[in-house]
């Protein structure tokens, strides 16, 4: 158990050390790139050494001995390579990976109040590793000359007077932070490392006593640092909702003549930045969404007022609409996030898995700087991990088989992104064994997903897309990694739910490419609105082939289902009301039938009325609505009515 | 009497009884926003999905969920208690919220049950609900068959 005194700093410790450990892990992967001469080695090792050292220091001050013991040895190991400049040998990389994994788990447990002991086996392996590289005795890691993180240097000694700047700073601690006063205190501490804190509300003593009204700290700082440095320092503190840094226009001490000899100020590139909590950003989007709806509603009401007064109202609504659209665009821009957030961890995922299954893989990431809406990014995390795992587990062959077929022993996996107009194309490509269209045909028929005749009629290219049907997999063994046949269909569903498309291309013996075509921002998608009883439901237009009117009672039946002649073929017609368990209009006249892409084949959905097409902002379903099968998303109409978007393949028979 | 300190609760009526949820499990209380969309293949306690400032929230009738009758969904009647944190897409339809107050259970129930205990307020009984169990029981009303 972590002692009571330290308990309040635990959250900070967990977030900071997790961050350091993650960077340490990324360093290990970057070492491989350095091994290929793509990046200089020394700075990476140096950085890793400092991360290990920080973790050691932080865990020691939290009295977490177990973590400290491992960090201490990892630091010792890295110090050797830092000093010699040698490349890390694979055994040391493995040891460090194991140490990072163990510490990550222990940090997590310490967050739950435990004080986990270091696994003895790992400690002795690390000791042996250190001893081995030193060719004998294991020396203690040296006192490193790392820069102390909170060097309390009075700015007056560092900065010429003429360059001093005054800033008013206001920081709001996130509402989710359990100990806001501690964060507030950290803010003051960070600021005093940059310069002199002339005023602070609340004062440091109040913060230390836990008093922080409105979760806000205001301070007046005199410092020689540029605004960007002040903001950067504050941005390193976690659980901060907003930061405002304003430079006072008038310098209290006019620059004396020495200013001429002083260094020119760095030109400020770009605008100032502030940190904003993601939730706040989400709430902006919600608020803008509400504005769009309210505008649409005013326009609708306007249609019922007398002609004479309408032009004035219409003009007002037009202006409101363009202002709201402008605001929407700005909020969307603020939500753009680089893909790196997702792709940074992929090399590690691939490498870990490759080691577990005894394969070798080299991972290349390109275009990680491309930005995409945060909501889409969040949705993509699992699918992308799945694609990478799939490629390593099923795509790439073991080294000996690769060599037999004349390929390099190490498999290549590339994740690359590029912009194409208003889309981002994300390709996951491996140079493995490729997929077998014939095996997929057989698997799909065996699963009952399509008939043997339909399977035979598919081109090879179309047959590959069968891998995206629920339950279809060609993996000859089911591992805990992938190959349960629950993968590709889930990937495809998520990609389509955010308004994207998935395409599979594979050449036997040469590899597979999965392309995700993604919208840049939360999709506005055309949907077909249909009515069943009193309910309105939406179908993505991309899934709809057409519509027909039919007297379903008079149609020929096959296995009990009415078959609609459509486009030269026959399509089974199902009552949407029955599939959804909703009431429908009474009566038995002709029905409107929407023909859509179903589970590998077309299906006709009988509805009470077609209401037309509409551009809809699709939103993912929150819990518990996401548990309802057959629904992929939800949208809200101009009159405020929520409308579910159907996931046709999952509507069930 | 247990030794625990009283916790601030949101107090409300549903199905003719009084209930309470811990204040920190509740995000906000709103009036039902019609029109509701019916949720396909949902359980009997599910009243539908409503639009709350552009977000779509599933609404479950608390009285029906707990098994003490049910609320009728009518314009201008009832309130929806929106849960907090990762349960912001779930709202509980109740007859009326009547306040916030400190409560301590007089009698504790086994975990897993939606009822955490019975408390006293103004000399009468009030049922203290467990937000985790209420959310779990609500989720079981969705995606059936």
């Amino acid at each position: 158990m972590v002692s009571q005194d330290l308990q309040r700093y635990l959250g900070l410790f967990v977030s900071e050390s997790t961050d350091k450990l993650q960077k340490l892990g990324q360093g290990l992967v970057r070492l491989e790139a350095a091994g290929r001469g793509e990046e200089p080695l020394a700075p990476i090792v140096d950085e890793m050494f400092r991360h290990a050292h920080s973790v050691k220091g932080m865990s020691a001050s939290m009295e977490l001995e177990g973590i400290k013991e491992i960090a201490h040895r990892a630091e010792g190991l890295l110090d050797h390579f830092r000093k010699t400049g040698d490349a890390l040998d694979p055994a040391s990389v493995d040891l460090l990976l194991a140490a990072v994994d163990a510490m990550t788990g222990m940090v997590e447990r310490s967050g739950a109040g435990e004080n986990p002991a270091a696994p003895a086996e790992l400690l002795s392996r690390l000791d042996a590793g250190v001893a081995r590289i030193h060719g004998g005795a294991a020396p203690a890691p040296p006192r490193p000359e790392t820069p102390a993180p909170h060097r309390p240097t009075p700015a007056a000694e560092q900065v010429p007077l003429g360059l001093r700047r005054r800033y008013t700073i206001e920081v709001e601690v996130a509402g989710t932070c359990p100990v806001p006063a501690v964060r507030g205190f950290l803010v003051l501490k960070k600021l005093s490392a940059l310069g002199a804190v002339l005023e602070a509300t609340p004062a440091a003593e109040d913060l230390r006593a836990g008093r922080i009204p409105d979760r806000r700290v205001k301070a007046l700082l005199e410092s020689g640092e540029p605004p960007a440095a002040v903001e950067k320092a504050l941005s390193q503190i976690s659980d901060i909702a907003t930061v405002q840094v304003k430079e006072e226009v008038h310098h209290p001490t006019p620059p004396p003549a020495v200013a001429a000899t002083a260094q020119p100020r760095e030109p400020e590139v770009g605008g100032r930045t502030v940190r904003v909590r993601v939730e706040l950003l989400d709430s902006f989007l919600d608020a803008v969404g509400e504005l769009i709806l309210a505008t649409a509603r005013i326009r609708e009401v306007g249609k019922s007022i007398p002609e004479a007064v309408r032009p004035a109202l219409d003009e007002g609504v037009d202006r409101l609409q363009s202002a709201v659209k402008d605001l929407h665009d700005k909020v969307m821009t603020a939500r753009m996030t680089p893909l790196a957030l997702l792709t940074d961890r992929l090399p590690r995922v691939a490498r870990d898995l490759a080691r577990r299954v005894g394969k070798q893989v080299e991972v290349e990431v390109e275009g990680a700087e491309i930005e995409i809406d945060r909501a889409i990014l969040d949705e993509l995390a699992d699918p992308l991990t799945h694609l990478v795992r799939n490629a390593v587990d099923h795509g790439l062959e073991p080294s000996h088989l690769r060599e037999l077929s004349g390929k390099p022993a190490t498999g290549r996996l590339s994740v690359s992104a590029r912009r194409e107009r208003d889309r981002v194309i994300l390709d996951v490509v491996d140079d493995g064994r490729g997929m077998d269209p014939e095996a997929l045909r057989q698997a799909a028929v065996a699963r009952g997903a399509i008939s043997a005749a339909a399977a035979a009629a598919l081109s090879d290219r179309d047959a590959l897309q069968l891998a995206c049907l629920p339950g279809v997999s060609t993996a000859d063994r089911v591992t805990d990694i992938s190959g349960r046949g629950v993968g590709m269909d889930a990937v495809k569903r998520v990609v389509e739910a955010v308004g994207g498309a998935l395409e599979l291309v594979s050449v036997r013996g040469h590899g597979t490419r999965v392309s995700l075509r993604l919208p840049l921002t939360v999709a506005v998608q055309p949907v077909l609105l249909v009515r069943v009883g009193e309910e309105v439901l939406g179908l993505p237009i991309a899934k709809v082939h057409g519509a027909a009117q039919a007297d379903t009672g008079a149609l020929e039946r096959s296995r009990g289902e009415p078959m609609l002649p459509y486009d030269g073929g026959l399509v089974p017609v199902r009552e949407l009301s029955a599939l959804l368990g909703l009431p429908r209009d009474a009566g038995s006249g002709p029905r409107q039938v929407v023909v859509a892409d179903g589970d590998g084949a077309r299906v006709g959905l009988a509805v009470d009325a077609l209401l037309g097409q509409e551009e809809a902002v699709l939103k993912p379903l929150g819990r518990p609505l996401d548990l309802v099968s057959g629904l992929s998303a939800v949208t809200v109409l101009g009159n405020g009515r929520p409308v579910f978007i159907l996931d046709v393949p999952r509507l069930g028979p | 009497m247990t030794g625990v300190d009283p916790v601030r609760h949101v107090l409300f009526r549903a199905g003719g009884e009084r209930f309470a949820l811990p204040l920190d499990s509740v995000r906000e209380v709103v009036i039902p926003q019609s029109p509701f969309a019916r949720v396909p293949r949902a359980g009997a306690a599910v009243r539908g999905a409503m639009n709350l400032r552009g977000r779509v929230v599933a609404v479950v009738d608390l009285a029906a969920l707990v098994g003490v009758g049910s609320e009728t969904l009518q314009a201008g009647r009832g309130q929806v208690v929106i849960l907090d944190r990762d349960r912001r897409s779930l709202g509980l339809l109740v007859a009326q919220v009547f306040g916030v107050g400190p409560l301590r259970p007089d009698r504790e129930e086994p975990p897993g049950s939606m009822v955490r205990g019975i408390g006293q307020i103004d000399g009468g009984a009030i049922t203290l609900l467990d937000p985790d169990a209420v959310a779990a029981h609500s989720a079981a009303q969705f995606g059936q068959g």
Side-chain angles (χ1 to χ4, degrees), chain A residues 279 286-287 289-290 293 297 535 537 578-583 619 621-625 627-631 634-637 639-644 650-651, chain B residues 27 33-42 46 48-60 86-90 135 138-140 142-145:
Chain A
E279 281 168 35
D286 283 350
E290 193 73 359
L293 289 177
R297 200 176 297 184
E535 294 305 308
L537 296 147
L579 292 173
L580 296 176
L582 297 172
K619 296 160 184 289
L621 296 162
R623 180 112 327 180
L625 289 170
L627 299 169
V628 182
S629 69
L631 305 183
V634 66
T635 187
V636 178
L637 298 186
N639 60 6
R641 180 198 265 270
V643 168
F644 291 117
R650 288 186 172 251
L651 276 172
Chain B
R27 181 169 173 81
Q33 316 275 317
S34 57
F36 274 46
R38 284 180 70 139
V39 180
R41 294 186 304 267
V46 178
M50 72 170 193
N51 164 29
L52 175 62
R53 298 190 298 269
R55 229 155 25 85
V56 175
V57 174
V59 178
V60 173
D86 52 349
R87 296 196 280 265
R88 286 181 192 178
S89 301
L90 177 60
S138 298
F142 293 83
Q144 299 176 334

Side-chain angles (χ1 to χ4, degrees), chain B residues 94-115:
Chain B
V94 305
Q96 195 200 1
V97 173
F98 64 89
V100 172
L103 273 180
R104 171 161 61 189
D106 277 5
R107 202 160 60 76
E108 297 228 30
E109 303 285 326
S113 140
M114 277 192 282
V115 177

Side-chain angles (χ1 to χ4, degrees), chain A residues 61-95:
Chain A
S61 58
M62 291 298 291
E63 295 169 5
L64 293 165
E65 283 300 309
I67 301 171
K68 193 200 88 181
E69 286 296 313
I70 301 177
H72 172 76
R73 286 166 173 78
E75 182 192 10
L77 202 58
L78 283 164
D79 190 50
H80 168 80
F81 294 104
R82 192 173 69 123
K83 289 224 170 99
T84 59
D86 292 345
L88 272 77
D89 56 310
S92 298
V93 172
D94 277 354
L95 261 180

Side-chain angles (χ1 to χ4, degrees), chain A residues 35-280:
Chain A
R36 295 194 298 270
E38 291 164 13
E39 213 181 330
L41 175 73
I44 305 177
V45 177
D46 220 49
E47 205 186 304
M48 288 167 59
F49 172 81
R50 274 183 289 135
H51 292 318
H53 179 68
S54 309
V55 173
K56 182 173 93 168
M58 288 189 291
S59 52
S61 58
M62 291 298 291
E63 295 169 5
L64 293 165
E65 283 300 309
I67 301 171
K68 193 200 88 181
E69 286 296 313
I70 301 177
H72 172 76
R73 286 166 173 78
E75 182 192 10
L77 202 58
L78 283 164
D79 190 50
H80 168 80
F81 294 104
R82 192 173 69 123
K83 289 224 170 99
T84 59
D86 292 345
L88 272 77
D89 56 310
S92 298
V93 172
D94 277 354
L95 261 180
L96 287 167
L97 274 175
V100 170
D101 285 345
M103 286 189 284
T104 307
M106 289 162 77
V107 166
E108 202 179 307
R109 283 165 59 198
S110 71
E114 289 180 51
N115 188 346
E121 172 264 352
L122 178 63
L123 288 183
S124 58
R125 267 174 63 203
L126 281 163
D127 281 336
V130 174
R132 187 174 52 79
I133 54 168
H134 282 288
R143 296 284 94 219
E145 62 280 14
T146 33
H150 303 297
R151 197 174 11 168
T153 340
E157 292 168 18
Q158 277 190 324
V159 187
L161 231 77
L163 283 178
R164 302 205 109 196
R165 296 160 166 211
R166 272 196 183 197
Y167 299 101
T168 52
I169 290 156
E170 189 169 339
V171 172
E172 187 191 349
V173 179
T176 48
C177 172
V179 282
V182 175
R183 285 297 180 282
F185 187 68
L186 271 175
V187 168
L188 290 191
K189 212 170 150 192
K190 270 268 188 240
L191 290 179
S192 57
L194 296 170
V197 178
L198 303 176
E199 284 169 38
T201 335
E205 306 83 79
D206 285 330
L207 289 171
R208 216 176 284 165
R211 285 189 290 271
I212 178 167
D214 327 326
R215 299 174 167 262
R216 277 169 196 281
V217 179
K218 289 181 200 164
L220 184 61
L221 173 75
E222 198 170 75
S223 166
E225 301 286 346
V230 177
E231 274 159 10
K232 181 157 188 273
L234 292 175
S235 71
Q236 286 160 353
I237 305 172
S238 52
D239 280 0
I240 299 293
T242 57
V243 173
Q244 277 178 22
V245 176
K246 276 197 209 117
E247 188 175 354
E248 304 243 306
V249 187
H250 299 292
H251 289 253
T253 46
V258 284
T261 60
Q263 285 184 337
R265 276 190 203 176
E266 282 177 43
E268 280 168 38
V269 187
R272 306 254 185 91
T273 57
V274 291
R275 264 185 123 200
V276 180
R277 257 186 327 144
V278 159
E279 281 168 35
L280 196 61

